Amino acid sequence: MERAFELLEHLADAGGEMALSELTEVSGLPMPTIYRLMRTLVNHGYVRQEPNKRYALGPRLIRLGDGASGLLGTWARPALARLVDEVGETANMAVLEGDSAVYVAQVPSRHSMRMFTEVGRRVLPHCTGVGKALLAQLPEPRVREILSRTGMPARTQHTFTDPNALVDELARVRQRGYAVDDEEQEIGVRCVAVPLPGAPTLTAFSVSGPSARMTHETVLEVVPVMRAVAAGFAADLDGASRT
């Protein structure tokens, strides 16, 4: 079972598809062993074999992923509620699914004027705080592959539309440890996001609010709080997975 799960994770890390020889190289397992395991996974729908003989993640994983995402959102609500209490603005959690950032949990601000994002909403990653925090956790070639498939449509005049400029921005995100959506998705809205270190899937927390309240100075004040909450939640997840 451990070997089968490792192969599934290798497929996910490679963007969902690999050749048998590539799986052999990254896993270190003998090719006959990998072939037997992959045939079992194919027979149960967790992997499919493409016409070109490459292996890809199968559709049966979707149900498992949907269930896990729902639970992840439920587990995150106390951490997001703490962010709302300490920061005062709407807090969100998103994961990377395919080429999109997907919101899996939200706790709204208590302000009458507040941001709202429907749980389950999928957004392009290049123009959102959570999207950039998610992309920054990927190697540059994978980022460019995603951008080539999604395109980089301009949502506002502040949206990044050049892949090279966004790649440079992601380098800054990695260096400083947080990403900012500076009215790039919607005019009048500013969002700051941080990655969850060691989370089981690429995950990010964000806090968003009107630009008048979420000033650049406010962003610098809330980032340490967000990092602490994100690290605590990631540690809780890691501890739960080991029990």
Side-chain angles (χ1 to χ4, degrees):
M1 288 182 66
E2 183 177 352
R3 289 174 172 179
F5 282 121
E6 286 178 355
L7 292 175
L8 290 173
E9 290 185 358
H10 286 312
L11 284 173
D13 291 341
E17 184 178 304
M18 296 181 76
L20 184 62
S21 59
E22 294 170 331
L23 284 167
T24 302
E25 182 178 349
V26 299
S27 69
L29 296 173
M31 186 174 292
T33 300
I34 295 175
Y35 179 77
R36 290 195 299 270
L37 289 169
M38 296 307 284
R39 290 315 306 167
T40 300
L41 292 169
V42 168
N43 291 338
H44 286 80
Y46 296 111
V47 170
R48 69 172 186 264
Q49 191 168 26
E50 304 288 11
N52 61 5
K53 303 302 183 182
R54 292 171 68 84
Y55 291 101
L57 295 176
R60 199 167 182 185
L61 290 170
I62 296 173
R63 182 170 65 88
L64 300 181
D66 287 344
S69 292
L71 286 173
L72 186 62
T74 299
W75 297 333
R77 285 189 61 83
L80 297 180
R82 179 185 165 192
L83 274 180
V84 173
D85 288 341
E86 297 198 27
V87 175
E89 302 293 349
T90 297
N92 310 279
M93 184 173 75
V95 298
L96 188 68
E97 286 189 5
D99 295 340
S100 301
V102 181
Y103 290 95
V104 295
Q106 180 183 85
V107 174
S109 164
R110 298 181 183 86
H111 291 290
S112 56
M113 181 183 294
R114 60 193 180 195
M115 302 301 103
F116 176 80
T117 298
E118 183 179 0
V119 171
R121 181 187 177 196
R122 307 178 74 90
V123 295
L124 295 179
H126 73 285
C127 57
T128 56
V130 288
K132 289 192 285 186
L134 293 168
L135 291 179
Q137 301 176 65
L138 295 173
E140 182 179 329
R142 179 85 182 280
V143 171
R144 291 187 180 276
E145 288 176 6
I146 290 174
L147 297 178
S148 69
R149 290 190 293 264
T150 63
M152 299 178 65
R155 301 304 189 197
T156 74
Q157 65 266 38
H158 304 297
T159 306
F160 282 90
T161 57
D162 174 42
N164 293 325
L166 182 62
V167 166
D168 290 343
E169 173 66 10
L170 295 179
R172 290 189 285 271
V173 170
R174 295 185 194 99
Q175 183 178 29
R176 68 194 181 202
Y178 66 93
V180 177
D181 162 10
D182 197 359
E183 300 188 335
E184 297 160 44
Q185 172 75 5
E186 184 177 349
I187 293 296
V189 177
R190 186 169 288 117
C191 172
V192 59
V194 298
L196 265 69
T201 188
L202 294 184
T203 310
F205 277 173
S206 71
V207 168
S208 56
S211 300
R213 289 201 306 260
M214 283 289 291
T215 63
H216 293 291
E217 292 76 16
T218 301
V219 166
L220 295 178
E221 293 172 0
V222 304
V223 164
V225 178
M226 297 180 67
R227 283 177 174 163
V229 173
F233 178 64
D236 289 343
L237 284 177
D238 183 62
S241 68
R242 296 176 186 272
T243 57

